[in-house]
Short mmCIF file of all heavy atoms in Angstrom, two decimals:
data_model
loop_
_atom_site.label_atom_id
_atom_site.label_comp_id
_atom_site.label_asym_id
_atom_site.label_seq_id
_atom_site.Cartn_x
_atom_site.Cartn_y
_atom_site.Cartn_z
N LEU A 163 37.25 -34.78 -6.77
CA LEU A 163 36.57 -35.96 -6.26
C LEU A 163 36.17 -36.97 -7.34
O LEU A 163 35.80 -38.08 -7.00
CB LEU A 163 35.39 -35.55 -5.42
CG LEU A 163 35.75 -34.64 -4.22
CD1 LEU A 163 34.46 -33.95 -3.66
CD2 LEU A 163 36.41 -35.49 -3.19
N PHE A 164 36.12 -36.54 -8.59
CA PHE A 164 35.70 -37.41 -9.67
C PHE A 164 36.75 -38.44 -9.95
O PHE A 164 36.60 -39.32 -10.85
CB PHE A 164 35.31 -36.57 -10.93
CG PHE A 164 34.14 -35.67 -10.62
CD1 PHE A 164 34.02 -34.45 -11.30
CD2 PHE A 164 33.22 -36.00 -9.71
CE1 PHE A 164 33.00 -33.62 -10.94
CE2 PHE A 164 32.16 -35.20 -9.38
CZ PHE A 164 32.05 -33.91 -10.04
N ILE A 165 37.86 -38.45 -9.24
CA ILE A 165 38.83 -39.47 -9.26
C ILE A 165 38.15 -40.79 -9.04
O ILE A 165 38.54 -41.84 -9.52
CB ILE A 165 39.94 -39.27 -8.16
CG1 ILE A 165 41.11 -40.12 -8.37
CG2 ILE A 165 39.39 -39.37 -6.82
CD1 ILE A 165 42.31 -39.74 -7.48
N VAL A 166 37.01 -40.80 -8.26
CA VAL A 166 36.34 -42.07 -7.80
C VAL A 166 35.68 -42.69 -9.06
O VAL A 166 35.33 -43.91 -8.95
CB VAL A 166 35.35 -41.82 -6.70
CG1 VAL A 166 35.99 -41.39 -5.44
CG2 VAL A 166 34.24 -40.88 -7.14
N ILE A 167 35.39 -41.99 -10.09
CA ILE A 167 34.75 -42.68 -11.28
C ILE A 167 35.76 -42.68 -12.43
O ILE A 167 35.35 -43.04 -13.59
CB ILE A 167 33.41 -42.02 -11.72
CG1 ILE A 167 33.58 -40.52 -11.99
CG2 ILE A 167 32.35 -42.22 -10.65
CD1 ILE A 167 32.38 -39.87 -12.76
N GLY A 168 36.99 -42.38 -12.13
CA GLY A 168 37.99 -42.58 -13.10
C GLY A 168 38.10 -41.52 -14.21
O GLY A 168 38.57 -41.79 -15.35
N VAL A 169 37.58 -40.31 -13.97
CA VAL A 169 37.75 -39.21 -14.91
C VAL A 169 39.21 -38.75 -14.87
O VAL A 169 39.69 -38.53 -13.72
CB VAL A 169 36.81 -38.07 -14.64
CG1 VAL A 169 37.10 -36.87 -15.58
CG2 VAL A 169 35.35 -38.51 -14.74
N GLY A 170 39.82 -38.61 -16.01
CA GLY A 170 41.29 -38.32 -15.96
C GLY A 170 41.57 -36.83 -15.73
O GLY A 170 42.39 -36.24 -16.43
N GLU A 171 40.94 -36.31 -14.71
CA GLU A 171 41.27 -34.87 -14.32
C GLU A 171 42.55 -34.77 -13.61
O GLU A 171 43.26 -35.77 -13.41
CB GLU A 171 40.10 -34.25 -13.66
CG GLU A 171 39.44 -34.96 -12.58
CD GLU A 171 40.27 -35.21 -11.38
OE1 GLU A 171 40.74 -34.09 -10.90
OE2 GLU A 171 40.55 -36.31 -10.93
N LEU A 172 42.91 -33.57 -13.15
CA LEU A 172 44.24 -33.28 -12.60
C LEU A 172 44.64 -34.26 -11.43
O LEU A 172 45.70 -34.85 -11.43
CB LEU A 172 44.27 -31.85 -12.19
CG LEU A 172 45.60 -31.37 -11.52
CD1 LEU A 172 46.76 -31.62 -12.41
CD2 LEU A 172 45.43 -29.84 -11.21
N THR A 173 43.73 -34.40 -10.46
CA THR A 173 44.06 -35.24 -9.35
C THR A 173 44.30 -36.67 -9.68
O THR A 173 45.22 -37.34 -9.26
CB THR A 173 42.92 -35.17 -8.27
OG1 THR A 173 42.80 -33.79 -7.93
CG2 THR A 173 43.34 -35.94 -7.03
N ARG A 174 43.45 -37.18 -10.61
CA ARG A 174 43.58 -38.49 -11.13
C ARG A 174 44.93 -38.73 -11.82
O ARG A 174 45.62 -39.74 -11.63
CB ARG A 174 42.45 -38.78 -12.08
CG ARG A 174 42.49 -40.11 -12.85
CD ARG A 174 41.96 -41.20 -12.00
NE ARG A 174 42.11 -42.52 -12.65
CZ ARG A 174 41.47 -43.60 -12.25
NH1 ARG A 174 40.74 -43.52 -11.14
NH2 ARG A 174 41.63 -44.73 -12.85
N GLN A 175 45.30 -37.75 -12.70
CA GLN A 175 46.61 -37.83 -13.39
C GLN A 175 47.71 -37.91 -12.34
O GLN A 175 48.69 -38.67 -12.48
CB GLN A 175 46.77 -36.58 -14.25
CG GLN A 175 45.85 -36.55 -15.45
CD GLN A 175 46.05 -37.63 -16.45
OE1 GLN A 175 47.03 -38.29 -16.45
NE2 GLN A 175 45.02 -37.79 -17.31
N GLY A 176 47.66 -37.05 -11.34
CA GLY A 176 48.67 -37.09 -10.31
C GLY A 176 48.84 -38.37 -9.62
O GLY A 176 49.89 -38.92 -9.44
N GLN A 177 47.61 -38.94 -9.30
CA GLN A 177 47.58 -40.19 -8.63
C GLN A 177 48.24 -41.28 -9.49
O GLN A 177 48.97 -42.11 -8.92
CB GLN A 177 46.09 -40.55 -8.32
CG GLN A 177 45.82 -41.95 -7.76
CD GLN A 177 46.36 -42.07 -6.37
OE1 GLN A 177 46.42 -41.12 -5.61
NE2 GLN A 177 46.74 -43.32 -5.98
N GLU A 178 47.95 -41.26 -10.75
CA GLU A 178 48.45 -42.31 -11.62
C GLU A 178 49.97 -42.21 -11.78
O GLU A 178 50.70 -43.25 -11.71
CB GLU A 178 47.78 -42.21 -13.04
CG GLU A 178 46.44 -42.99 -13.02
CD GLU A 178 45.71 -42.81 -14.31
OE1 GLU A 178 46.25 -42.22 -15.30
OE2 GLU A 178 44.53 -43.21 -14.35
N ILE A 179 50.50 -40.99 -11.96
CA ILE A 179 51.88 -40.81 -12.06
C ILE A 179 52.65 -41.21 -10.73
O ILE A 179 53.63 -41.91 -10.77
CB ILE A 179 52.29 -39.33 -12.42
CG1 ILE A 179 51.67 -39.00 -13.75
CG2 ILE A 179 53.77 -39.16 -12.46
CD1 ILE A 179 51.65 -37.52 -14.01
N MET A 180 52.00 -40.81 -9.65
CA MET A 180 52.61 -41.14 -8.36
C MET A 180 52.70 -42.65 -8.11
O MET A 180 53.65 -43.12 -7.56
CB MET A 180 51.72 -40.46 -7.27
CG MET A 180 52.41 -39.88 -6.07
SD MET A 180 52.75 -41.14 -4.85
CE MET A 180 51.06 -41.72 -4.53
N ALA A 181 51.59 -43.34 -8.54
CA ALA A 181 51.55 -44.78 -8.39
C ALA A 181 52.66 -45.42 -9.18
O ALA A 181 53.14 -46.56 -8.84
CB ALA A 181 50.22 -45.29 -8.84
N ALA A 182 53.15 -44.80 -10.23
CA ALA A 182 54.23 -45.34 -11.08
C ALA A 182 55.63 -45.05 -10.55
O ALA A 182 56.51 -45.85 -10.58
CB ALA A 182 54.08 -44.93 -12.55
N ASN A 183 55.83 -43.80 -10.12
CA ASN A 183 57.20 -43.35 -9.71
C ASN A 183 57.37 -43.13 -8.18
O ASN A 183 58.46 -42.83 -7.80
CB ASN A 183 57.64 -42.17 -10.57
CG ASN A 183 56.81 -40.95 -10.24
OD1 ASN A 183 56.05 -40.90 -9.30
ND2 ASN A 183 57.02 -39.90 -11.03
N PHE A 184 56.34 -43.10 -7.45
CA PHE A 184 56.33 -42.94 -5.98
C PHE A 184 56.98 -41.64 -5.59
O PHE A 184 57.54 -41.48 -4.46
CB PHE A 184 57.07 -44.12 -5.32
CG PHE A 184 56.39 -45.44 -5.43
CD1 PHE A 184 56.91 -46.34 -6.41
CD2 PHE A 184 55.24 -45.69 -4.76
CE1 PHE A 184 56.22 -47.57 -6.60
CE2 PHE A 184 54.54 -46.95 -4.98
CZ PHE A 184 55.03 -47.85 -5.93
N ARG A 185 57.03 -40.61 -6.43
CA ARG A 185 57.56 -39.29 -6.11
C ARG A 185 56.44 -38.42 -5.58
O ARG A 185 55.99 -37.46 -6.18
CB ARG A 185 58.25 -38.65 -7.31
CG ARG A 185 59.27 -39.49 -8.05
CD ARG A 185 60.44 -39.75 -7.13
NE ARG A 185 61.11 -38.53 -6.69
CZ ARG A 185 62.37 -38.39 -6.31
NH1 ARG A 185 63.14 -39.49 -6.23
NH2 ARG A 185 62.85 -37.30 -5.88
N ALA A 186 55.95 -38.72 -4.37
CA ALA A 186 54.81 -38.04 -3.82
C ALA A 186 54.99 -36.59 -3.65
O ALA A 186 54.15 -35.74 -3.98
CB ALA A 186 54.43 -38.71 -2.45
N VAL A 187 56.19 -36.19 -3.14
CA VAL A 187 56.41 -34.79 -2.83
C VAL A 187 56.32 -33.90 -4.14
O VAL A 187 55.61 -32.93 -4.25
CB VAL A 187 57.82 -34.56 -2.17
CG1 VAL A 187 58.11 -33.07 -1.94
CG2 VAL A 187 57.84 -35.30 -0.80
N GLU A 188 57.10 -34.33 -5.16
CA GLU A 188 57.11 -33.59 -6.38
C GLU A 188 55.75 -33.53 -7.05
O GLU A 188 55.22 -32.49 -7.46
CB GLU A 188 58.08 -34.27 -7.35
CG GLU A 188 59.60 -33.99 -7.04
CD GLU A 188 60.09 -35.06 -6.05
OE1 GLU A 188 59.30 -35.84 -5.51
OE2 GLU A 188 61.29 -35.05 -5.74
N ILE A 189 55.16 -34.71 -7.14
CA ILE A 189 53.82 -34.78 -7.86
C ILE A 189 52.77 -33.95 -7.15
O ILE A 189 52.09 -33.11 -7.76
CB ILE A 189 53.39 -36.24 -8.05
CG1 ILE A 189 54.41 -36.99 -8.93
CG2 ILE A 189 51.98 -36.34 -8.69
CD1 ILE A 189 54.64 -36.39 -10.31
N TRP A 190 52.63 -34.16 -5.85
CA TRP A 190 51.46 -33.46 -5.15
C TRP A 190 51.72 -31.99 -4.99
O TRP A 190 50.82 -31.15 -5.04
CB TRP A 190 51.15 -34.14 -3.83
CG TRP A 190 50.56 -35.56 -4.00
CD1 TRP A 190 51.03 -36.74 -3.54
CD2 TRP A 190 49.37 -35.89 -4.77
NE1 TRP A 190 50.17 -37.78 -3.92
CE2 TRP A 190 49.23 -37.27 -4.71
CE3 TRP A 190 48.46 -35.15 -5.56
CZ2 TRP A 190 48.22 -37.96 -5.34
CZ3 TRP A 190 47.49 -35.80 -6.17
CH2 TRP A 190 47.32 -37.19 -6.10
#
Side-chain angles (χ1 to χ4, degrees):
Chain A
L163 299 166
F164 299 148
I165 192 170
V166 297
I167 56 166
V169 175
E171 43 68 53
L172 180 54
T173 304
R174 173 83 181 192
Q175 294 292 346
Q177 172 68 28
E178 276 174 8
I179 298 165
M180 217 275 302
N183 66 10
F184 298 104
R185 306 296 301 203
V187 174
E188 287 83 354
I189 297 303
W190 293 122

